[in-house]
Amino acid sequence: MNKIGKTPVAVDAGVVAADELRRLFGSGETATIAGDTPARDAAAGAWRLPDIVLVLGMLALAVPTMIFVAQSSWTGEQGSHGPIILATGLWLVYNNWHEVRSLAARAPGWQVWALFAIAAPVYLFTRVTQIVELEGYAMYVLLLVALYGVVGYKAMRALAFPLIYLFFAFPPPETVIYTLTLPIKVAISDAAIAVLQLFGLPIGGTGVMIQIGQYQLLVAAACSGLNSIVSLSAITLFYIYLMHRGEHRIQAILLLFVLPVAIAANFLRVLILILLTYYGGEAAAQGFLHDLAGITIFVLALMLIFLIDKILQTTGVGKRMTAKGAAHG
């Protein structure tokens, strides 16, 4: 009775193990698995020669582009958040991989080649023309196509947040920056002039040009709020993903605060720089103090986001919204 009872269990376990390995590593010669040797052979087959060649090819494309992006963008204030986004984004992918590993399955080859045929010419064009903003995006799209070929759609969908989050590592195109920052720059300039006029300072201006005393200032893109909006949005996304994963309503509220907090913070920064110029001279408001003001204001803006989240949790707004969302499915 014991032998008869155990035999089907052993057979079923072998079938289940074989099916599991075939699902993870493909339909290679793993149908007859009995013992450690076939299992090791199946595990070794997880990385095939085409996969290795694909990874090496992607590295050959990605490394020069990332060096170009780092030298052209990450060294300035506009893209200074790039290394942080890259490091935290890769950490998220690595940390979440164990949750989605079982979903990995190679995509159909014809789909991968079709996507490569579309994305590769775009990348080559941006690489030849040295358009750093577009080259970074084009290179990353090629990496996503390669990842799709290796792990498939379901695994990429499960990794959607970190993969989208990594887009913030690349600077937005300058034309987009100019278009978006112009109205913000004008609004910040007008507001700063109006506030300082209330205190009797000799200040005036038109558009983004501010005249205070004998000094003339230009409210540049760095002071317009866009850099803080991009950086603050990225860091806030990372924060709410870690602290409020799955709580979509709280995430939406915190993201709604990013724009007003970033603009208010940069308005304060412009006021500080104007006062430094007026009382300390043009040299005092440039260089170290200019950068220090930017870093200080950004940290204050980030702390304000954390404070808003704390208020939501303390007052129970976040808990009520989470409970309401759970009740509605």
Side-chain angles (χ1 to χ4, degrees):
M1 292 296 292
N2 291 335
K3 291 183 179 180
I4 294 174
K6 290 182 178 179
T7 301
V9 175
V11 173
D12 291 343
V15 172
V16 171
D19 291 340
E20 180 67 14
L21 284 172
R22 279 197 296 271
R23 181 170 64 85
L24 290 177
F25 303 123
S27 57
E29 298 182 2
T30 59
T32 57
I33 294 179
D36 294 335
T37 302
R40 287 196 297 267
D41 294 339
W47 279 92
R48 302 179 304 177
L49 180 60
D51 295 334
I52 298 174
V53 173
L54 181 62
V55 170
L56 293 177
M58 289 299 99
L59 287 176
L61 293 177
V63 171
T65 296
M66 293 308 298
I67 292 175
F68 182 39
V69 170
Q71 293 175 342
S72 303
S73 172
W74 290 355
T75 55
E77 184 178 356
Q78 176 182 333
S80 57
H81 61 281
I84 300 175
I85 303 303
L86 179 62
T88 53
L90 292 177
W91 178 82
L92 284 175
V93 173
Y94 174 79
N95 189 60
N96 292 342
W97 176 244
H98 70 281
E99 298 179 4
V100 303
R101 186 175 181 178
S102 61
L103 301 175
R106 291 186 178 89
W110 69 269
Q111 293 183 3
V112 178
W113 285 112
L115 292 172
F116 268 123
I118 297 173
V122 177
Y123 170 76
L124 291 176
F125 173 77
T126 57
R127 181 65 179 165
V128 171
T129 54
Q130 295 285 284
I131 306 175
V132 61
E133 300 90 353
L134 298 181
E135 182 180 341
Y137 291 131
M139 179 274 296
Y140 187 55
V141 169
L142 278 177
L143 291 182
L144 292 179
V145 172
L147 183 64
Y148 170 68
V150 176
V151 305
Y153 171 74
K154 290 184 178 179
M156 289 189 66
R157 182 179 179 181
L159 292 172
F161 176 80
L163 294 179
I164 294 174
Y165 174 75
L166 282 168
F167 268 105
F168 284 93
F170 304 99
E174 291 185 359
T175 54
V176 175
I177 294 176
Y178 178 80
T179 302
L180 294 178
T181 58
L182 184 58
I184 300 176
K185 287 188 290 186
V186 173
I188 288 179
S189 301
D190 293 341
I193 291 172
V195 169
L196 294 180
Q197 282 179 343
L198 294 176
F199 293 91
L201 272 71
I203 187 173
T206 303
V208 295
M209 298 300 299
I210 297 177
Q211 184 76 35
I212 181 166
Q214 70 271 32
Y215 302 106
Q216 191 175 52
L217 306 175
L218 172 66
V219 179
C223 300
S224 64
L226 182 67
N227 294 332
S228 292
I229 293 170
V230 174
S231 304
L232 199 60
S233 297
I235 301 300
T236 302
L237 279 172
F238 182 74
Y239 170 76
I240 63 178
Y241 180 78
L242 294 180
M243 302 300 295
H244 302 291
R245 189 173 180 178
E247 301 174 2
H248 302 299
R249 287 173 173 81
I250 298 180
Q251 293 174 358
I253 290 179
L254 291 177
L255 286 177
L256 287 176
F257 276 102
V258 169
L259 181 61
V261 167
I263 293 177
N266 280 270
F267 168 70
L268 181 60
R269 177 185 180 183
V270 170
L271 285 180
I272 293 173
L273 293 176
I274 292 174
L275 293 174
L276 282 174
T277 302
Y278 182 65
Y279 290 107
E282 186 175 357
Q286 302 301 320
F288 174 75
L289 289 179
H290 183 276
D291 296 336
L292 180 62
I295 295 173
T296 303
I297 294 302
F298 177 77
V299 172
L300 289 176
L302 193 58
M303 292 177 63
L304 183 56
I305 292 292
F306 297 160
L307 179 61
I308 292 171
D309 180 38
K310 185 66 175 178
I311 292 174
L312 290 175
Q313 299 305 313
T314 302
T315 57
V317 174
K319 294 180 180 178
R320 288 197 299 271
M321 295 193 68
T322 302
K324 183 178 179 181
H328 286 80

